Amino acid sequence: MIIELQNAAATYQAPDGEVEALRDVSFGVEEGEFCSIVGPSGCGKSTLLGAIAGLEHLSSGSVRVDGQEVTAPTSRIGLMPQRDQLFEWRSIWDNVTLGLQVMGQNTPERQKHVRELLERYDLGDFSRKKPGQLSGGMRQRCALIRTLATDPRILLLDEPFSALDYQTRLSVSSDIYRIIREQHKTALLVTHDISEAISMSDRVIVLSRRPAVVKDIIDMGALKSLPPLDRRDSPAFSGYFNLIWKELDLHD
Amino acid sequence: MTELTPSPQRLAYLRRRQRRARLIRAWQIALLVALLGLWELSTRLGWSDGFLISSPSRMLATVAKLWREGQLWHHIGTSVLETVVGFTAGTALGTLIAVCMWWSDTLSRILDPYLVVLNALPKTALGPIFIVWMGAGMGSIITMTLAISLIVTILNMYQGFRGTDPEKIRLMRTLGASRGQILRLLVFPANYATLLATLKVNVGLSWVGVIMGEFLVSRSGLGYLIVYGSQVFNMDLVMASVLILAIAAVIMYRLVLWVEKYLNHLLGVMQ
Ligand SMILES: Nc1ncnc2c1ncn2[C@@H]1O[C@H](COP(=O)(O)OP(=O)(O)OP(=O)(O)O)[C@@H](O)[C@H]1O
Ligand SMILES: [Mg+2]
């Protein structure tokens, strides 16, 4: 297990009281696996990713990455945040090398790696452009390359496609899936879109309402061998959809 | 956006626009000439008292006299220098304090009530205090401009810094960025536009501070000329100084806009 949570619990302290975000979350993610987390809004999904990334402290339980307890951010983990969060005032090149700059690793070899990624994913001609000059899908690929630039083994994606329209979302999620697989990364995706979770992941982790506990972990079985767009056409798709929908229990 | 061969409709639209722009400019000039002409005429024909309200020709003569005596540039220079020092220092110092407040939440909470009071206080009331403390001179005047622009700068910049997208800060933190790096690479550049807007406001506030200060203490500068002129009942001098002040303030504002454009170009900022 590259990521392992044991009875993770997290509580926010605020002047008007405590907010219990996570109550008892335990699961593991295998190296190279693609897992999704779905749950009702406000149930603690971002808190969970924050805890894995070393940004949030647990009140009890533990998070281990590579067998080591997580206490602070490490370069083994990369975050792809909500929306692309590209810095508008920086060129694409300066955006994708942001992590290298912050870590003081802006070396020629690292830059070569980033340049290869840009070329490979059709952004080579845009490195001098500003984010404002790119389409939504290209911006998402930039955001992913920014995360890949520091060569993390684990990618945490927090509703990265939530700002895109439906059409773009389908093609971008399929692009991002392909890139993550080609780069052999372990991925943990938070989404509120059940179809997206089924079409991209090996396993789907369903969280309860706040305070979050793991309600179920569903293996995508035969779908796992298919690329995202094909999964949506598969007969098994709607079965998984209904299963997760029921587990989420959003009505009432 | 500009097509190679504009359509007839487009040409007609552009022509209409141009004609309108010319018409507006023509009216503006006509209005100015009419006002100045009427003013001049009314004093010449004795409809009003040129001694009290001066007249364009008398103002021009006064400016020419100041120039011949070699005082014109001295007074303009003094006021302009004080203003430039005032808005530069106000913006820089205010931004620095805002950075400190962003850095330490405790500090910002401690300072909060002081800022509220100072912001509400009419700063010109402090003028006499500065004069007692620092003497009659440029020091008091620049302090006056600082008093006027500093608090606004702190509040504007701090609010801008606070408004930095929390998701972007989260991203920087997962990259292992220190607080200094977050400030340098994210918070500061994200508020570049706020900084320029604040700077432009400060140019105006600085003029207020300088003229106010010169009214109270100085021996040179445009504010001094205005006060001196009114004390010796030389309305020509008063009016001429106000005219020069208006021109200087407009030119300075234009220059600041130009510097802003140049900086935007240099940094590749898109508007
Ligand atoms: N810094 C904080 N202080 C206090 N409460 C917080 C803080 N951050 C989050 N919360 C609360 O903790 C709960 C979980 O928040 P979290 O952002 O993890 O949920 P989420 O599942 O990601 O929500 P969403 O679906 O809206 O993205 C929410 O009720 C939220 O209001
Ligand atoms: Mg969230």
Side-chain angles (χ1 to χ4, degrees):
Chain A
M1 292 285 171
I2 187 161
I3 307 175
E4 201 165 9
L5 283 90
Q6 267 165 8
N7 310 104
T11 307
Y12 289 105
Q13 297 296 340
D16 48 351
E18 289 187 329
V19 179
E20 192 183 2
L22 307 176
R23 176 163 286 173
D24 180 11
V25 179
S26 304
F27 65 84
V29 179
E30 297 283 356
E31 170 115 51
E33 205 179 10
F34 198 126
C35 285
S36 288
I37 298 174
V38 295
S41 77
C43 76
K45 302 182 292 293
S46 298
T47 308
L48 187 55
L49 286 197
I52 298 170
L55 300 176
E56 236 64 87
H57 290 289
L58 294 178
S59 42
S60 67
S62 70
V63 184
R64 288 170 185 279
V65 167
D66 250 351
Q68 276 175 343
E69 187 101 16
V70 175
T71 49
T74 78
S75 60
R76 278 178 302 211
I77 295 178
L79 174 78
M80 190 157 160
Q82 221 162 47
R83 302 196 190 83
D84 49 59
Q85 304 301 351
L86 296 173
F87 293 2
E88 299 296 335
W89 58 89
R90 291 182 144 227
S91 67
I92 293 303
W93 175 257
D94 289 341
N95 264 290
V96 293
T97 53
L98 177 70
L100 299 180
Q101 190 186 352
V102 168
M103 294 176 186
Q105 297 179 350
N106 216 340
T107 58
E109 308 94 82
R110 290 297 193 125
Q111 292 185 0
K112 185 160 161 281
H113 174 226
V114 177
R115 212 166 286 123
E116 282 164 6
L117 286 171
L118 283 174
E119 290 293 339
R120 175 151 192 177
Y121 299 117
D122 304 322
L123 289 163
D125 298 337
F126 295 90
S127 60
R128 285 164 191 280
K129 294 262 193 295
K130 288 279 163 72
Q133 295 168 289
L134 269 60
S135 71
M138 292 163 99
R139 293 178 62 121
Q140 288 296 336
R141 291 207 299 276
C142 288
L144 182 59
I145 292 172
R146 177 186 56 201
T147 312
L148 293 173
T150 54
D151 208 18
R153 288 171 61 199
I154 300 166
L155 303 183
L156 304 177
L157 303 93
D158 194 351
E159 304 197 34
F161 315 125
S162 58
L164 301 175
D165 63 79
Y166 185 69
Q167 292 296 329
T168 318
R169 206 175 159 124
L170 284 188
S171 72
V172 168
S173 58
S174 138
D175 276 354
I176 299 293
Y177 174 86
R178 180 173 56 95
I179 298 171
I180 289 176
R181 283 280 134 113
E182 279 176 11
Q183 302 291 325
H184 308 293
K185 302 295 179 189
T186 307
L188 192 55
L189 166 80
V190 163
T191 176
H192 55 246
D193 182 338
I194 300 174
S195 312
E196 192 170 276
I198 301 170
S199 64
M200 293 178 83
S201 9
D202 299 324
R203 284 188 300 152
V204 177
I205 299 159
V206 184
L207 296 183
S208 71
R209 248 172 285 192
R210 190 175 68 78
V213 298
V214 176
K215 266 193 135 177
D216 200 0
I217 298 181
I218 301 160
D219 195 289
M220 292 300 109
L223 285 185
K224 281 192 274 192
S225 56
L226 297 175
L229 290 176
D230 295 354
R231 292 194 198 182
R232 291 176 187 261
D233 298 329
S234 148
F237 189 85
S238 64
Y240 283 116
F241 190 98
N242 290 330
L243 181 61
I244 295 173
W245 175 255
K246 285 213 188 68
E247 292 279 5
L248 274 176
D249 194 22
L250 291 171
H251 38 268
D252 84 297
Chain B
M1 230 109 25
T2 43
E3 304 112 73
L4 289 176
T5 47
S7 66
Q9 291 96 314
R10 176 107 193 120
L11 282 175
Y13 167 78
L14 289 176
R15 227 173 300 131
R16 268 203 311 282
R17 250 180 66 127
Q18 201 178 27
R19 210 176 312 133
R20 203 174 136 81
R22 271 200 218 122
L23 189 74
I24 289 173
R25 182 45 55 91
W27 269 107
Q28 287 168 336
I29 293 170
L31 196 61
L32 182 69
V33 170
L35 281 176
L36 291 178
L38 203 66
W39 189 0
E40 183 70 37
L41 216 63
S42 78
T43 52
R44 295 223 172 183
L45 298 178
W47 300 341
S48 53
D49 190 351
F51 183 68
L52 271 184
I53 68 163
S54 187
S55 77
S57 61
R58 296 170 73 150
M59 282 159 67
L60 270 184
T62 311
V63 173
K65 184 161 159 277
L66 282 173
W67 192 53
R68 271 197 314 277
E69 290 170 355
Q71 294 191 35
L72 185 65
W73 295 116
H74 170 63
H75 290 296
I76 295 178
T78 306
S79 291
V80 166
L81 177 68
E82 288 163 350
T83 307
V84 172
V85 172
F87 75 72
T88 317
T91 310
L93 198 62
T95 306
L96 186 71
I97 294 173
V99 165
C100 296
M101 287 172 61
W102 175 83
W103 199 282
S104 160
D105 193 47
T106 311
L107 178 68
S108 85
R109 276 160 200 264
I110 292 172
L111 292 184
D112 185 62
Y114 295 94
L115 288 174
V116 170
V117 171
L118 287 175
N119 191 38
L121 180 78
K123 262 66 74 179
T124 43
L126 302 174
I129 302 176
F130 297 146
I131 295 165
V132 171
W133 286 351
M134 314 180 67
M138 219 183 238
S140 312
I141 293 172
I142 289 172
T143 312
M144 191 72 230
T145 67
L146 274 182
I148 292 186
S149 62
L150 193 64
I151 307 298
V152 184
T153 307
I154 295 173
L155 293 176
N156 274 350
M157 292 310 295
Y158 180 61
Q159 199 182 2
F161 290 163
R162 283 288 302 265
T164 310
D165 193 333
E167 283 284 319
K168 288 197 168 69
I169 292 180
R170 194 174 157 89
L171 171 75
M172 289 295 280
R173 285 181 57 213
T174 44
L175 292 171
S178 65
R179 223 163 154 65
Q181 283 178 317
I182 294 179
L183 178 71
R184 192 161 49 82
L185 298 174
L186 170 59
V187 174
F188 213 77
N191 285 285
Y192 168 73
T194 320
L195 182 67
L196 283 181
T198 308
L199 182 75
K200 279 189 279 186
V201 170
N202 284 348
V203 175
L205 292 179
S206 222
W207 275 111
V208 175
V210 164
I211 297 302
M212 193 58 224
E214 288 178 349
F215 278 3
L216 290 175
V217 294
S218 67
R219 273 169 240 105
S220 63
L222 294 170
Y224 161 76
L225 283 185
I226 293 172
V227 162
Y228 173 76
S230 75
Q231 281 164 354
V232 300
F233 237 80
N234 181 352
M235 288 310 284
D236 296 336
L237 184 56
V238 175
M239 293 297 205
S241 306
V242 171
L243 179 73
I244 295 168
L245 176 60
I247 294 171
V250 168
I251 291 177
M252 187 179 291
Y253 195 72
R254 289 273 150 177
L255 280 178
V256 169
L257 289 186
W258 183 80
V259 168
E260 175 184 9
K261 231 177 167 170
Y262 178 73
L263 276 178
N264 285 346
H265 175 75
L266 206 69
L267 300 170
V269 177
M270 282 178 306
Q271 240 87 38

